[in-house]
Structure formats: structure tokens, C-alpha cells
Amino acid sequence: MGEGSGRSGRLVLHRRTVIAGAGVGVALTAGLVIRNQIRHPPTYYKARPDGRFRRLVLSWPTSNTLVFVVARARFFDRYNLDVVPIEGARTGRGTVADLRGGRCVGAVAPLLTWLDLFREGGLQARIVAGIQSGAFRLLLRRGVKVTRLDNVAGLRIAVTDQDMADRLFFSVMMRRKGIDPEGGVHWVIVPPDQVLDAARAGEIDAVAAHDPLAWQLLRGADSPFSELANSTTGHYGERTNLALGLSDAFLQSDPAAAVALVMALRAASDWIRAQPDQVATLLAGQIAGMGADELRAMLRHETLGISPVGADLRVQVAQYVDEMKLLGRMPDTVGSSAYARKICFNVLQAEAPGQYWSLPVGPT
């Protein structure tokens, strides 16, 4: 949470000063240009961090901690942040539950999960940045006579948790192929440490998972799997999967902290893309017991440095909204672009600073 100073932060904006109302008491003064020179095209931001130290609590899914580990090792300090993760949440639904319960100021979850939870209502938060592209993989047990995604009807497909976004992602792909993802395949819940045994015993035909678990299942010694489909190529590989959402209350009370957090995470994402070998060395033994060589091989097969904000993020969210419509998890009457504008917020650009102080209570 916003622990440490106990005072509201300052957000610096280009050539304008706005005084927050309703007791927030945050001064917005003249700004500087921020330029990201690694992954993203040169972009002039109206907002910058104010240099104050902050201690923030985030909830991050333990099933995919790559960007967080890099940010904590190299970038949070540079932005005067001490970011503490809540322990234990394996899935995106778990992290967003932490946010909803007031146990953190922000949560990271797959965008498909965010959309599912926004649809359910009562979520007073905004998506502010993409964090990482997806590395979903549909692994087929060797010996199963299927060569194309079009032919998976009737298969027993394992997922490691009913709340994981792996199932949603491949459900979209199946729907596009004309397969009913609910009645056309058999989804089986299998804990991560039992997937290999279930495959070798012939109890499942396939598994839908994401890296690093999916990579370990595929590339481990005597693996019973081959890869049928993934999200690392084509237009899926250029889209973010994990996304950071911040509570409306946090955005209103300390927008400068939100700026620092988003910049630190984007810097980590860019560094992962620019220095994958150093990333592998840094993370050796820290992620699911993987060594540097295994991590290096995995990173070579992923799309790195995908962390959109602003209009780029909204376009991708609108695409995901369209896909949720395919699954019947979003009404067809919802305007995808308008909905994306409603649930996303660009803390770096902040062209309309008044939005910080008049955020509605969650999207409808």
C-alpha cells in the first residue's frame, strides 16, 4: 500500500498547474519530457515521477514472475520504490481479489482475467499498462493422432487451475476454428506437479499452460509432449497478456507513485528484450528452479518487451473484448473501443488531469 511518507504525491504535468479537490491536496506543476529509448518509439510524456521514496504493495501471480524479479533487481530502486509482493496468489483471479480486498494498491493479471472480473462488476480499478506478452502453449501428448488445432474436439485437456487464463486463451482459438470450447472438449483440472504423471498414464491428451511451466513440460527430460499451438507467434505474440491494474483510490491519492511504478515496470520489460542473456544469468535458480541455459532457451522462444500504455494498450484491450464476445463472456452490445477507454487509464500522458479526481466508481 502507499506506506512510507504518509503524504500525497505530486504529479508533474507540462505547462499547467491543477489543484486537486475533495481533500486530495495534490499539486500538479511544470513537467519534463520522458523518453523511452529501448523497445518503445520515442514518446514525450507529460508526467514524471516526483523523486519521493515510496513503499508499495502489489499482488503478482506466482505462476509468472519474470518481469517482477527483474524490476526488483534493477529498476524499482531507480524510481525510489520499494515494492513488496503479496505472497501466495498463483492466479490472476487471486491477485485481483487482493486488490479488491484492499490488501494492495495494484495487481497484475492476464487481460482476459481482468475483463472477466470487470464484467462481474464492483471492481474499482483501472488498467494502466501491459507488462508482458503471453507465452501460452497447448501441448499434445505424444501418440495422440492430432496435427491441427481444428481437430482437438473430444480431447481431454488439462489446465492447472480453473482460474488460469490458459483455458480462456485457447477457448478463443478453438472458437475461431468452429469448435465449441465448452462442450467440444473435456477440460480437466490437474495440479502442476501431477501433469507429467497424468500424461504418461494416458489420463489426459493435452495440457494448456503458460511459461515457465509450459516450457518445462515441453522441454524436460523424457517429455511426453509436443507443441500443437502457442501464443508466441503472429499477432498474438505482439499483444500483451499480463497487465497492471491500479485501484481508483490509489490513482486519485498518489498519481506520481503510479507514474514511477509504470515506468519502472516498462523499463524492466524493455531490458528483458534488450538483454535476454543477462536476464537468464540474473534469474538462474529463481524461477521454478530453472538454470541460466534453460531460461535463455525459453526467452529465445518468447516475444519480449511488450508493455503498451495509452492508445496502444486500449487497442489491445478492445481486441480482447471482441474475443470475450466470441466466448459469450461479454455482451455483443458492448462497444469494444469505448469499453477499453473506460477501463484503461494512461498515467504517463495524463492529457486530462481532471480525470484523476473524477474517476467513476468502477466501469459499468
Side-chain angles (χ1 to χ4, degrees), residues 87-359:
E87 301 293 336
R90 174 171 169 76
T91 71
R93 277 189 171 264
T95 63
V96 179
D98 286 334
L99 181 64
R100 196 192 296 268
R103 293 181 288 277
C104 55
V105 299
V108 169
L111 269 172
L112 288 168
T113 301
W114 278 111
L115 290 175
D116 235 10
L117 295 172
F118 275 123
R119 176 180 58 87
E120 293 174 7
L123 185 54
Q124 300 177 25
R126 291 296 183 279
I127 299 170
V128 297
I131 298 298
Q132 182 179 341
S133 69
F136 297 112
R137 303 182 191 274
L138 183 61
L139 308 181
L140 192 69
R141 177 169 55 83
R142 298 184 189 278
V144 176
K145 304 301 182 182
V146 170
T147 59
R148 296 166 56 90
L149 187 64
D150 313 56
N151 305 126
V152 299
L155 295 189
R156 298 164 297 173
I157 303 177
V159 288
T160 59
D161 190 293
Q162 64 181 356
D163 290 336
M164 289 292 192
D166 313 294
R167 175 173 174 171
L168 285 176
F169 176 80
F170 286 109
S171 290
V172 170
M173 294 188 72
M174 289 177 198
R175 177 62 74 186
R176 292 193 184 282
K177 298 292 185 179
I179 299 170
D180 177 5
E182 295 303 318
V185 297
H186 307 287
W187 298 100
V188 184
I189 308 299
V190 181
D193 59 354
Q194 297 178 26
V195 171
L196 286 173
D197 290 340
R200 289 168 178 153
E203 297 171 354
I204 59 173
D205 302 309
V207 57
H210 61 273
D211 291 350
L213 175 62
W215 183 261
Q216 291 175 300
L217 293 172
L218 178 63
R219 299 290 178 161
D222 301 319
S223 171
F225 295 112
S226 61
E227 189 170 47
L228 183 65
N230 62 54
S231 67
T232 63
T233 57
H235 71 279
Y236 287 118
E238 292 297 323
R239 286 165 51 178
T240 190
N241 165 40
L242 293 180
L244 171 67
L246 298 175
S247 74
D248 287 352
F250 178 61
L251 285 169
Q252 291 170 327
S253 66
D254 199 351
V259 171
L261 180 60
V262 169
M263 286 187 170
L265 291 172
R266 280 165 59 82
S269 178
D270 285 339
W271 189 76
I272 290 169
R273 177 181 181 270
Q275 304 291 341
D277 288 344
Q278 291 190 44
V279 173
T281 301
L282 174 66
L283 272 63
Q286 295 191 50
I287 294 185
M290 297 177 72
D293 289 343
E294 295 169 288
L295 283 164
R296 195 172 293 112
M298 182 183 77
L299 293 174
R300 282 199 297 265
H301 288 80
E302 296 183 358
T303 307
L304 307 176
I306 307 296
S307 55
V309 296
D312 292 338
L313 176 62
R314 293 193 299 272
V315 167
Q316 294 190 20
V317 170
Q319 292 171 341
Y320 278 113
V321 172
D322 287 337
E323 291 171 350
M324 293 294 274
K325 292 178 184 179
L326 288 177
L327 300 180
R329 303 176 82 98
M330 187 71 70
D332 289 335
T333 54
V334 170
S336 301
S337 296
Y339 193 79
R341 287 194 299 271
K342 184 178 292 187
I343 66 173
C344 295
F345 190 73
N346 187 355
V347 302
L348 300 183
Q349 200 66 23
E351 292 182 351
Q355 292 182 47
Y356 277 113
W357 325 122
S358 59
L359 290 172

